[in-house]
Amino acid sequence: MKITFLEPLGIPQEQLKNMAEEILGARARLVYYDTRAEDVPTLIERSKDADCVVLSNFKYGRDVISQCPALKMICVAFTGVDHVDVAYCRERGITVCNCAGYSTVAVADLVFGFVIDLARNVIPCDRKVREGGTKDGLVGYELEGKKFGVVGAGAIGSRVMAIAGAFGCEVYASSRTAKEIEGVKFVSLDELLETCDIVSLHVPLNDSTRGLIGREQLAKMKKNAVLINTARGPVVDSQALADALKTGRIAGAAVDVFEVEPPVPSDHPLFGAPNLIATPHVAFASRQAFEKRAVIVCDNIKNWLDGTPKNEILG
């Protein structure tokens, strides 16, 4: 079996090689690329004779997969798989697995970095003190007692709920799957938006979540509320969010994800909006998360070779 790592995975290649060889042994011939390439011709050249490829979050579509006759497994070193043509993989009988769980802690950590930055005006305070200013007009609020809403009750959403509870927030959640989590009140999305001071999004990108938060939904939020998006960019209508911030419809927002992967065009509508924190899709990226991800990648391949795939994307 030829296993091709189409890009670096955020840890030293020697560490990845040792990890893969320890878990997979002599069952696979491993090929590593130390650069990331996203153009179709290069991806075809790198993938064309591989039995299994490993990639993170770049587009891997039918135009590439159809030119890879030996391909039997795609290991997505990422949580979301909307950038892979999963439907075509099903037609071809190609197994697709993701790395669910590797970034749960990292993403939840950044959510609260965002929340505290917005609540305590950290970025404006930094700018003001460098200009010789004071705290005037920049006094923020505590999280204790605030109503914290989480949209999506998967692993990351559940961790965010737990941390919000530890801060003393009243925790609300909205999820397509009914759950019972102690200390969390499950409500409809509309009720959550109307009720909560902080709304954090943790849903995958699919047909039902694309554009989930648009003008109508933003209009339901409190004027003093903030929106956090560390999920996927197209879950939120960026122009509608920019307009809501400019008109004071909501108080602030923090986004780590956009319609495209960074670099994001400088004329993106959100970059002209006030009270916005933006980061370049970094929520999942911590040293520990990359190490966890590499282990899951190797375990996914091992289990697939054993005939018992884990983390398989079935729908």
Side-chain angles (χ1 to χ4, degrees), residues 20-114:
E21 290 177 350
E22 179 180 345
I23 294 174
L24 300 175
R27 306 171 68 185
R29 179 164 64 93
L30 306 173
V31 176
Y32 304 88
Y33 286 95
D34 58 5
T35 59
R36 175 177 167 123
E38 301 182 34
D39 62 286
V40 169
T42 302
L43 289 174
I44 291 173
E45 180 61 29
R46 292 182 174 187
S47 309
K48 63 183 180 182
D49 59 351
D51 296 284
C52 169
V53 295
V54 180
L55 60 107
S56 64
N57 62 337
F58 55 74
K59 187 177 185 298
Y60 201 74
R62 182 184 297 241
D63 49 359
V64 176
I65 299 168
S66 64
Q67 302 303 308
C68 303
L71 193 59
K72 303 174 187 68
M73 194 258 199
I74 298 173
C75 186
V76 182
F78 210 64
T79 301
V81 297
D82 50 282
H83 53 292
V84 174
D85 193 334
V86 176
Y88 181 59
C89 288
R90 282 201 298 272
E91 290 179 23
R92 280 270 309 272
I94 297 170
T95 300
V96 180
C97 297
N98 73 348
C99 286
Y102 82 95
S103 63
T104 299
V105 173
V107 174
D109 282 358
L110 187 63
V111 167
F112 285 89
F114 283 154

Coordinates of all heavy atoms in Angstrom, one line a residue, residues 20-114:
A20 N 4.3 7.3 12.2 CA 3.6 6.5 11.2 C 4.2 5.1 11.1 O 3.5 4.1 11.0 CB 3.7 7.2 9.8
E21 N 5.5 5.0 11.2 CA 6.2 3.7 11.1 C 5.9 2.9 12.3 O 5.8 1.7 12.2 CB 7.7 3.9 10.9 CG 8.0 4.5 9.5 CD 9.5 4.7 9.3 OE1 10.3 4.7 10.3 OE2 9.9 5.0 8.1
E22 N 5.8 3.5 13.5 CA 5.5 2.8 14.7 C 4.1 2.2 14.6 O 3.9 1.1 15.1 CB 5.7 3.7 15.9 CG 5.4 3.0 17.2 CD 5.5 3.9 18.4 OE1 6.1 5.0 18.3 OE2 5.0 3.6 19.5
I23 N 3.1 3.0 14.1 CA 1.8 2.5 14.1 C 1.5 1.6 13.0 O 0.7 0.6 13.1 CB 0.8 3.8 14.1 CG1 0.9 4.5 15.4 CG2 -0.6 3.3 13.9 CD1 0.2 5.8 15.5
L24 N 2.1 1.9 11.8 CA 1.7 1.1 10.6 C 2.7 0.0 10.3 O 2.4 -0.9 9.5 CB 1.6 2.1 9.4 CG 0.6 3.2 9.5 CD1 0.7 4.2 8.3 CD2 -0.8 2.6 9.6
G25 N 3.9 0.1 10.9 CA 4.9 -0.9 10.6 C 5.3 -1.0 9.1 O 5.4 0.0 8.4
A26 N 5.5 -2.2 8.7 CA 5.9 -2.4 7.3 C 4.7 -2.6 6.3 O 4.9 -3.1 5.2 CB 6.8 -3.6 7.2
R27 N 3.5 -2.3 6.8 CA 2.3 -2.6 5.9 C 2.1 -1.5 4.8 O 1.3 -1.7 3.9 CB 1.1 -2.6 6.8 CG 1.2 -3.5 8.0 CD 0.1 -3.3 9.0 NE -1.2 -3.8 8.4 CZ -2.4 -3.6 9.0 NH1 -2.4 -3.0 10.2 NH2 -3.5 -4.0 8.5
A28 N 2.9 -0.4 4.9 CA 2.6 0.6 3.9 C 4.0 1.3 3.5 O 4.9 1.4 4.3 CB 1.7 1.7 4.5
R29 N 4.0 1.7 2.3 CA 5.1 2.5 1.8 C 4.7 4.0 1.9 O 3.7 4.4 1.4 CB 5.4 2.2 0.4 CG 6.6 3.0 -0.2 CD 7.1 2.3 -1.5 NE 6.1 2.3 -2.5 CZ 5.9 3.2 -3.5 NH1 6.7 4.3 -3.5 NH2 5.0 3.1 -4.4
L30 N 5.4 4.8 2.7 CA 5.0 6.1 3.0 C 5.8 7.1 2.2 O 7.0 7.1 2.0 CB 5.3 6.4 4.5 CG 4.7 5.4 5.5 CD1 5.2 5.6 6.9 CD2 3.2 5.4 5.4
V31 N 5.0 8.1 1.6 CA 5.6 9.2 0.8 C 5.2 10.5 1.5 O 4.0 10.7 1.8 CB 5.1 9.1 -0.6 CG1 5.7 10.3 -1.4 CG2 5.6 7.8 -1.3
Y32 N 6.1 11.4 1.7 CA 5.8 12.7 2.3 C 6.1 13.9 1.4 O 7.2 13.9 0.8 CB 6.6 12.9 3.6 CG 6.4 11.8 4.6 CD1 7.2 10.6 4.6 CD2 5.4 11.8 5.6 CE1 7.1 9.6 5.5 CE2 5.3 10.8 6.5 CZ 6.1 9.7 6.5 OH 6.0 8.7 7.4
Y33 N 5.3 14.8 1.3 CA 5.6 16.1 0.7 C 5.7 17.2 1.7 O 4.8 17.3 2.6 CB 4.5 16.4 -0.4 CG 4.5 15.6 -1.6 CD1 3.7 14.4 -1.7 CD2 5.4 15.9 -2.6 CE1 3.8 13.6 -2.8 CE2 5.5 15.1 -3.8 CZ 4.7 13.9 -3.8 OH 4.8 13.1 -4.9
D34 N 6.8 17.9 1.6 CA 7.0 19.0 2.6 C 6.6 20.4 2.2 O 6.9 21.4 2.8 CB 8.5 19.0 3.0 CG 9.4 19.3 1.8 OD1 8.9 19.6 0.7 OD2 10.7 19.2 2.0
T35 N 5.8 20.4 1.1 CA 5.2 21.7 0.7 C 3.7 21.4 0.5 O 3.3 20.3 0.2 CB 5.8 22.2 -0.6 OG1 5.6 21.2 -1.6 CG2 7.3 22.5 -0.4
R36 N 2.9 22.5 0.6 CA 1.4 22.4 0.3 C 1.2 22.9 -1.1 O 1.6 24.0 -1.4 CB 0.7 23.2 1.4 CG -0.8 23.2 1.1 CD -1.5 24.0 2.3 NE -2.9 24.4 2.0 CZ -3.9 24.0 2.7 NH1 -3.7 23.3 3.8 NH2 -5.1 24.5 2.5
A37 N 0.5 22.1 -1.9 CA 0.1 22.5 -3.3 C -1.3 22.3 -3.4 O -1.9 21.3 -3.0 CB 0.9 21.8 -4.3
E38 N -2.0 23.3 -4.0 CA -3.5 23.1 -4.2 C -4.0 23.1 -5.6 O -5.2 22.9 -5.9 CB -4.2 24.3 -3.4 CG -3.8 24.4 -1.9 CD -4.5 25.5 -1.2 OE1 -5.7 25.8 -1.6 OE2 -4.0 26.0 -0.2
D39 N -3.0 23.3 -6.6 CA -3.4 23.3 -8.0 C -3.7 21.8 -8.4 O -3.0 20.9 -8.0 CB -2.4 23.9 -8.8 CG -1.1 23.2 -8.8 OD1 -0.4 23.3 -7.8 OD2 -0.7 22.5 -9.8
V40 N -4.7 21.7 -9.3 CA -5.1 20.4 -9.7 C -4.0 19.5 -10.4 O -3.8 18.4 -10.0 CB -6.3 20.5 -10.7 CG1 -6.6 19.1 -11.3 CG2 -7.5 21.0 -9.9
P41 N -3.2 20.1 -11.3 CA -2.2 19.2 -11.9 C -1.2 18.7 -10.9 O -0.8 17.5 -11.0 CB -1.5 20.2 -12.9 CG -2.5 21.2 -13.2 CD -3.3 21.4 -11.9
T42 N -0.8 19.5 -9.9 CA 0.2 19.0 -8.9 C -0.5 18.0 -8.0 O 0.2 16.9 -7.7 CB 0.7 20.2 -8.0 OG1 1.3 21.1 -8.9 CG2 1.7 19.7 -7.0
L43 N -1.7 18.2 -7.6 CA -2.4 17.2 -6.8 C -2.6 15.9 -7.5 O -2.4 14.8 -6.9 CB -3.8 17.7 -6.3 CG -3.7 18.9 -5.3 CD1 -5.1 19.4 -5.1 CD2 -3.1 18.4 -4.0
I44 N -2.9 15.9 -8.8 CA -3.0 14.7 -9.6 C -1.6 14.0 -9.6 O -1.5 12.7 -9.4 CB -3.5 15.0 -11.0 CG1 -4.9 15.4 -10.9 CG2 -3.3 13.7 -11.9 CD1 -5.5 15.9 -12.3
E45 N -0.6 14.7 -9.9 CA 0.8 14.1 -10.0 C 1.1 13.5 -8.6 O 1.7 12.4 -8.6 CB 1.8 15.2 -10.3 CG 3.2 14.7 -10.5 CD 3.4 13.6 -11.5 OE1 2.6 13.6 -12.5 OE2 4.3 12.8 -11.4
R46 N 0.8 14.1 -7.5 CA 1.2 13.6 -6.2 C 0.3 12.4 -5.8 O 0.7 11.5 -5.0 CB 1.1 14.7 -5.2 CG 2.1 15.8 -5.3 CD 2.0 16.8 -4.2 NE 3.1 17.8 -4.3 CZ 3.3 18.7 -3.4 NH1 2.5 18.9 -2.3 NH2 4.4 19.6 -3.5
S47 N -0.9 12.4 -6.3 CA -1.9 11.4 -5.8 C -2.1 10.2 -6.8 O -2.7 9.2 -6.3 CB -3.3 12.1 -5.7 OG -3.2 13.2 -4.9
K48 N -1.7 10.3 -8.0 CA -2.2 9.4 -9.1 C -1.9 7.9 -8.8 O -2.8 7.1 -9.3 CB -1.6 9.8 -10.4 CG 0.0 9.7 -10.5 CD 0.5 10.2 -11.8 CE 2.0 10.0 -11.9 NZ 2.5 10.6 -13.2
D49 N -0.9 7.5 -8.1 CA -0.7 6.1 -7.9 C -0.7 5.7 -6.4 O -0.3 4.7 -6.0 CB 0.7 5.7 -8.5 CG 1.9 6.4 -7.9 OD1 1.6 7.4 -7.1 OD2 3.0 6.1 -8.1
A50 N -1.4 6.6 -5.6 CA -1.5 6.3 -4.2 C -2.7 5.5 -3.9 O -3.8 5.6 -4.5 CB -1.6 7.6 -3.4
D51 N -2.6 4.6 -2.9 CA -3.8 3.8 -2.4 C -4.5 4.7 -1.4 O -5.7 4.5 -1.2 CB -3.3 2.5 -1.8 CG -2.6 1.6 -2.8 OD1 -3.4 1.0 -3.5 OD2 -1.4 1.5 -2.8
C52 N -3.8 5.5 -0.7 CA -4.4 6.4 0.4 C -3.7 7.7 0.4 O -2.4 7.7 0.2 CB -4.2 5.7 1.7 SG -4.6 6.8 3.2
V53 N -4.4 8.8 0.5 CA -3.8 10.1 0.6 C -4.3 10.8 1.9 O -5.3 10.5 2.4 CB -4.2 11.0 -0.6 CG1 -3.6 10.5 -1.9 CG2 -5.7 11.2 -0.7
V54 N -3.4 11.6 2.4 CA -3.7 12.4 3.6 C -3.6 13.9 3.2 O -2.6 14.3 2.6 CB -2.7 12.1 4.7 CG1 -3.0 12.9 6.0 CG2 -2.6 10.6 5.0
L55 N -4.6 14.6 3.6 CA -4.7 16.0 3.3 C -5.5 16.7 4.4 O -6.2 16.1 5.1 CB -5.3 16.3 1.9 CG -6.7 15.8 1.8 CD1 -7.7 17.0 1.7 CD2 -6.9 15.0 0.5
S56 N -5.3 18.0 4.5 CA -6.1 18.8 5.5 C -7.3 19.4 4.9 O -8.3 18.8 4.7 CB -5.2 19.8 6.3 OG -4.7 20.8 5.4
N57 N -7.2 20.7 4.6 CA -8.4 21.5 4.3 C -8.4 22.2 2.9 O -9.1 23.1 2.7 CB -8.7 22.5 5.4 CG -7.6 23.5 5.5 OD1 -6.4 23.3 5.1 ND2 -7.9 24.7 6.0
F58 N -7.6 21.7 2.0 CA -7.7 22.2 0.6 C -8.7 21.4 -0.2 O -9.0 20.3 0.1 CB -6.4 22.4 0.0 CG -5.5 21.1 -0.1 CD1 -5.9 20.1 -1.0 CD2 -4.4 21.0 0.7 CE1 -5.1 18.9 -1.1 CE2 -3.7 19.8 0.6 CZ -4.0 18.8 -0.3
K59 N -9.2 22.0 -1.3 CA -10.2 21.4 -2.1 C -9.6 20.1 -2.8 O -8.5 20.2 -3.4 CB -10.7 22.3 -3.2 CG -11.8 21.8 -4.0 CD -12.3 22.8 -5.0 CE -13.6 22.4 -5.8 NZ -13.3 21.2 -6.6
Y60 N -10.3 19.0 -2.7 CA -9.9 17.8 -3.3 C -11.1 17.2 -3.9 O -11.9 16.5 -3.3 CB -9.3 16.8 -2.2 CG -8.4 15.8 -2.7 CD1 -7.1 16.0 -3.1 CD2 -8.9 14.4 -2.8 CE1 -6.3 15.0 -3.6 CE2 -8.0 13.4 -3.2 CZ -6.7 13.7 -3.6 OH -5.9 12.7 -4.1
G61 N -11.3 17.5 -5.2 CA -12.5 17.2 -5.9 C -12.4 16.1 -6.9 O -11.4 15.4 -7.1
R62 N -13.5 15.9 -7.6 CA -13.6 14.9 -8.6 C -12.6 15.0 -9.7 O -12.1 14.0 -10.2 CB -15.0 15.0 -9.3 CG -15.3 13.9 -10.3 CD -16.7 14.1 -10.9 NE -17.7 14.0 -9.9 CZ -18.7 13.1 -10.0 NH1 -18.7 12.2 -11.0 NH2 -19.6 13.1 -9.1
D63 N -12.2 16.3 -10.0 CA -11.2 16.5 -11.1 C -9.8 15.9 -10.7 O -9.1 15.5 -11.6 CB -11.0 18.0 -11.4 CG -10.9 18.9 -10.1 OD1 -10.9 18.3 -9.0 OD2 -10.7 20.1 -10.3
V64 N -9.6 15.8 -9.4 CA -8.3 15.1 -9.0 C -8.6 13.6 -8.8 O -7.9 12.7 -9.3 CB -7.8 15.7 -7.7 CG1 -6.6 14.9 -7.2 CG2 -7.4 17.2 -7.9
I65 N -9.6 13.3 -8.0 CA -9.9 11.9 -7.6 C -10.1 11.0 -8.8 O -9.6 9.8 -8.8 CB -11.1 11.8 -6.7 CG1 -10.9 12.7 -5.4 CG2 -11.5 10.4 -6.3 CD1 -12.1 12.9 -4.6
S66 N -10.7 11.5 -9.9 CA -11.0 10.7 -11.0 C -9.7 10.3 -11.8 O -9.8 9.3 -12.6 CB -11.9 11.5 -12.0 OG -11.3 12.7 -12.5
Q67 N -8.6 11.0 -11.5 CA -7.4 10.7 -12.1 C -6.5 9.8 -11.3 O -5.3 9.6 -11.6 CB -6.6 12.0 -12.5 CG -7.4 12.9 -13.4 CD -7.8 12.3 -14.7 OE1 -7.0 11.7 -15.4 NE2 -9.1 12.3 -15.0
C68 N -7.1 9.2 -10.2 CA -6.3 8.4 -9.3 C -6.9 7.0 -9.2 O -7.7 6.7 -8.3 CB -6.3 9.1 -7.9 SG -5.7 10.8 -7.9
P69 N -6.6 6.1 -10.2 CA -7.3 4.8 -10.2 C -7.0 3.9 -9.1 O -7.9 3.0 -8.8 CB -6.8 4.3 -11.5 CG -5.5 5.0 -11.8 CD -5.7 6.3 -11.3
A70 N -5.9 4.1 -8.4 CA -5.6 3.2 -7.3 C -6.2 3.7 -5.9 O -6.1 2.9 -4.9 CB -4.0 3.1 -7.1
L71 N -6.7 4.9 -5.9 CA -7.1 5.5 -4.6 C -8.3 4.7 -4.0 O -9.3 4.5 -4.6 CB -7.5 6.9 -4.9 CG -7.7 7.8 -3.6 CD1 -6.4 7.9 -2.8 CD2 -8.1 9.2 -4.0
K72 N -8.1 4.4 -2.7 CA -9.1 3.6 -2.0 C -9.5 4.3 -0.7 O -10.5 3.9 -0.1 CB -8.5 2.2 -1.7 CG -8.1 1.4 -2.9 CD -7.4 0.1 -2.4 CE -6.8 -0.7 -3.6 NZ -5.6 0.1 -4.2
M73 N -8.6 5.2 -0.2 CA -8.9 5.8 1.1 C -8.4 7.3 1.1 O -7.3 7.5 0.6 CB -8.3 5.1 2.2 CG -8.8 5.4 3.6 SD -7.7 6.5 4.5 CE -8.2 6.3 6.2
I74 N -9.2 8.2 1.6 CA -8.8 9.6 1.8 C -8.9 9.8 3.3 O -9.9 9.7 3.9 CB -9.6 10.6 1.1 CG1 -9.5 10.3 -0.5 CG2 -9.2 12.0 1.4 CD1 -10.5 11.2 -1.3
C75 N -7.7 10.2 3.9 CA -7.7 10.5 5.3 C -7.6 12.0 5.5 O -6.6 12.6 5.1 CB -6.5 9.9 6.1 SG -6.6 10.1 7.8
V76 N -8.7 12.7 5.9 CA -8.8 14.1 6.0 C -8.3 14.5 7.4 O -8.9 14.2 8.4 CB -10.2 14.6 5.8 CG1 -10.3 16.1 5.9 CG2 -10.7 14.1 4.4
A77 N -7.1 15.2 7.4 CA -6.5 15.6 8.7 C -7.2 16.9 9.1 O -6.5 17.9 9.3 CB -5.0 15.8 8.5
F78 N -8.5 16.8 9.3 CA -9.3 18.0 9.6 C -10.6 17.4 10.1 O -10.9 16.2 10.1 CB -9.5 18.8 8.3 CG -9.7 20.3 8.5 CD1 -8.7 21.0 9.1 CD2 -10.9 20.9 8.2 CE1 -8.8 22.4 9.3 CE2 -11.0 22.3 8.4 CZ -10.0 23.0 8.9
T79 N -11.4 18.3 10.7 CA -12.7 17.9 11.2 C -13.8 17.9 10.1 O -14.5 16.9 9.8 CB -13.2 18.7 12.4 OG1 -12.2 18.6 13.4 CG2 -14.5 18.2 12.9
G80 N -13.9 19.1 9.4 CA -14.9 19.2 8.3 C -14.3 18.5 7.1 O -13.1 18.5 6.8
V81 N -15.3 18.0 6.2 CA -14.9 17.4 5.0 C -15.6 17.9 3.8 O -15.7 17.3 2.7 CB -15.2 15.8 5.1 CG1 -14.3 15.2 6.2 CG2 -16.6 15.6 5.3
D82 N -16.2 19.1 3.9 CA -16.9 19.7 2.8 C -16.1 20.1 1.6 O -16.6 20.4 0.5 CB -17.7 21.0 3.3 CG -16.8 22.0 4.0 OD1 -16.5 21.7 5.2 OD2 -16.4 23.0 3.4
H83 N -14.8 20.1 1.8 CA -13.8 20.4 0.7 C -13.5 19.2 -0.1 O -12.7 19.3 -1.1 CB -12.6 21.1 1.2 CG -11.9 20.3 2.3 ND1 -12.5 20.1 3.6 CD2 -10.7 19.6 2.4 CE1 -11.7 19.4 4.3 NE2 -10.6 19.1 3.6
V84 N -13.9 18.0 0.3 CA -13.7 16.7 -0.4 C -15.0 16.3 -1.1 O -16.0 16.4 -0.5 CB -13.2 15.7 0.6 CG1 -13.0 14.3 -0.1 CG2 -11.8 16.1 1.2
D85 N -14.9 15.8 -2.3 CA -16.1 15.3 -3.0 C -16.5 13.9 -2.5 O -16.2 12.9 -3.0 CB -15.8 15.3 -4.5 CG -17.1 15.1 -5.3 OD1 -18.1 14.5 -4.7 OD2 -17.2 15.5 -6.5
V86 N -17.2 14.0 -1.3 CA -17.5 12.7 -0.6 C -18.5 11.9 -1.5 O -18.4 10.7 -1.5 CB -18.1 13.0 0.8 CG1 -18.6 11.8 1.5 CG2 -17.0 13.7 1.6
A87 N -19.4 12.6 -2.1 CA -20.4 11.9 -3.0 C -19.7 11.1 -4.1 O -20.1 9.9 -4.3 CB -21.4 12.9 -3.6
Y88 N -18.7 11.6 -4.7 CA -18.0 10.9 -5.7 C -17.2 9.8 -5.1 O -17.1 8.7 -5.7 CB -17.1 11.9 -6.5 CG -16.3 11.2 -7.6 CD1 -17.0 10.5 -8.7 CD2 -14.9 11.2 -7.6 CE1 -16.2 9.9 -9.7 CE2 -14.2 10.6 -8.6 CZ -14.9 9.9 -9.6 OH -14.2 9.3 -10.6
C89 N -16.6 10.0 -4.0 CA -15.9 8.9 -3.3 C -16.8 7.7 -3.0 O -16.4 6.6 -3.1 CB -15.3 9.4 -2.0 SG -13.9 10.5 -2.2
R90 N -18.1 8.0 -2.6 CA -19.0 6.9 -2.4 C -19.3 6.1 -3.7 O -19.4 4.9 -3.7 CB -20.4 7.5 -1.8 CG -20.3 7.8 -0.3 CD -21.7 7.8 0.3 NE -22.5 8.9 -0.3 CZ -22.5 10.1 0.1 NH1 -21.8 10.5 1.1 NH2 -23.3 11.0 -0.5
E91 N -19.4 6.9 -4.8 CA -19.6 6.2 -6.1 C -18.4 5.3 -6.4 O -18.6 4.2 -7.0 CB -19.7 7.3 -7.2 CG -21.0 8.1 -7.2 CD -20.9 9.1 -8.3 OE1 -20.2 8.9 -9.3 OE2 -21.6 10.1 -8.2
R92 N -17.2 5.7 -6.0 CA -16.0 5.0 -6.3 C -15.7 3.9 -5.3 O -14.7 3.1 -5.5 CB -14.8 5.9 -6.5 CG -14.7 6.7 -7.8 CD -13.9 5.9 -8.8 NE -12.6 5.5 -8.2 CZ -11.5 6.3 -8.2 NH1 -11.5 7.5 -8.7 NH2 -10.4 5.8 -7.7
G93 N -16.4 3.9 -4.2 CA -16.1 3.0 -3.1 C -14.8 3.4 -2.3 O -14.2 2.6 -1.7
I94 N -14.5 4.7 -2.3 CA -13.4 5.2 -1.6 C -13.8 5.6 -0.2 O -14.7 6.3 0.0 CB -12.8 6.4 -2.3 CG1 -12.3 6.0 -3.7 CG2 -11.6 7.1 -1.5 CD1 -11.9 7.2 -4.6
T95 N -13.1 5.1 0.8 CA -13.3 5.4 2.2 C -12.8 6.8 2.5 O -11.7 7.1 2.2 CB -12.7 4.4 3.1 OG1 -13.2 3.0 2.8 CG2 -12.9 4.7 4.6
V96 N -13.6 7.6 3.2 CA -13.2 8.9 3.6 C -13.3 8.9 5.2 O -14.4 8.6 5.7 CB -14.1 10.0 3.0 CG1 -13.6 11.4 3.5 CG2 -14.0 10.0 1.5
C97 N -12.2 9.3 5.8 CA -12.2 9.4 7.3 C -11.7 10.8 7.7 O -10.9 11.4 7.0 CB -11.3 8.4 7.9 SG -11.8 6.7 7.6
N98 N -12.2 11.3 8.8 CA -11.7 12.6 9.2 C -11.0 12.4 10.6 O -10.8 11.3 11.0 CB -12.9 13.6 9.4 CG -13.8 13.4 10.5 OD1 -13.7 12.3 11.2 ND2 -14.7 14.3 10.8
C99 N -10.6 13.5 11.1 CA -9.9 13.5 12.4 C -10.6 14.2 13.5 O -10.1 15.1 14.2 CB -8.5 14.1 12.2 SG -7.3 13.1 11.3
A100 N -11.9 13.8 13.6 CA -12.7 14.4 14.7 C -12.1 14.3 16.0 O -11.6 13.3 16.4 CB -14.1 13.7 14.7
G101 N -12.1 15.4 16.7 CA -11.7 15.5 18.1 C -10.3 16.0 18.4 O -10.0 16.5 19.5
Y102 N -9.5 16.1 17.3 CA -8.1 16.6 17.6 C -8.0 18.1 18.0 O -7.2 18.5 18.8 CB -7.2 16.4 16.3 CG -7.3 17.4 15.3 CD1 -6.4 18.5 15.2 CD2 -8.3 17.4 14.3 CE1 -6.6 19.5 14.3 CE2 -8.5 18.3 13.4 CZ -7.6 19.4 13.3 OH -7.7 20.4 12.4
S103 N -9.0 18.9 17.5 CA -8.9 20.3 17.8 C -10.0 20.8 18.8 O -10.1 22.0 19.0 CB -9.1 21.1 16.5 OG -10.4 20.8 15.9
T104 N -10.6 19.9 19.5 CA -11.7 20.3 20.4 C -11.2 21.3 21.4 O -11.8 22.3 21.6 CB -12.3 19.0 21.1 OG1 -12.8 18.2 20.1 CG2 -13.4 19.4 22.1
V105 N -10.1 21.0 22.1 CA -9.6 21.9 23.1 C -9.1 23.2 22.5 O -9.4 24.3 23.0 CB -8.5 21.2 23.9 CG1 -7.8 22.1 24.9 CG2 -9.0 20.0 24.6
A106 N -8.4 23.1 21.4 CA -7.8 24.3 20.8 C -8.9 25.3 20.4 O -8.8 26.5 20.6 CB -7.0 23.9 19.6
V107 N -9.9 24.8 19.7 CA -11.0 25.7 19.2 C -11.8 26.3 20.4 O -12.0 27.5 20.4 CB -12.0 24.9 18.3 CG1 -13.2 25.8 18.0 CG2 -11.3 24.4 17.1
A108 N -12.1 25.5 21.4 CA -12.8 26.0 22.6 C -12.0 27.1 23.3 O -12.5 28.1 23.8 CB -13.2 24.9 23.5
D109 N -10.7 26.9 23.4 CA -9.8 27.9 24.0 C -9.9 29.2 23.3 O -10.0 30.3 23.9 CB -8.3 27.4 23.9 CG -8.0 26.4 25.0 OD1 -8.8 26.0 25.8 OD2 -6.8 25.9 25.0
L110 N -9.8 29.2 21.9 CA -9.9 30.4 21.2 C -11.2 31.1 21.3 O -11.3 32.3 21.4 CB -9.5 30.2 19.7 CG -9.4 31.5 18.9 CD1 -8.3 32.4 19.4 CD2 -9.2 31.3 17.4
V111 N -12.3 30.3 21.4 CA -13.6 30.9 21.6 C -13.6 31.8 22.8 O -14.1 33.0 22.8 CB -14.7 29.8 21.8 CG1 -16.0 30.4 22.3 CG2 -15.0 29.1 20.5
F112 N -13.0 31.4 23.9 CA -13.0 32.2 25.1 C -12.0 33.3 25.1 O -12.1 34.3 25.7 CB -12.9 31.3 26.4 CG -14.2 30.6 26.6 CD1 -14.5 29.4 26.1 CD2 -15.2 31.3 27.3 CE1 -15.8 28.8 26.3 CE2 -16.5 30.7 27.5 CZ -16.7 29.5 27.0
G113 N -10.9 33.1 24.3 CA -10.0 34.2 24.0 C -10.8 35.4 23.3 O -10.7 36.5 23.7
F114 N -11.6 35.0 22.3 CA -12.5 36.0 21.6 C -13.5 36.6 22.6 O -13.7 37.8 22.6 CB -13.3 35.3 20.5 CG -12.5 35.0 19.3 CD1 -12.9 33.9 18.5 CD2 -11.4 35.7 18.9 CE1 -12.3 33.7 17.3 CE2 -10.8 35.5 17.7 CZ -11.2 34.4 16.9

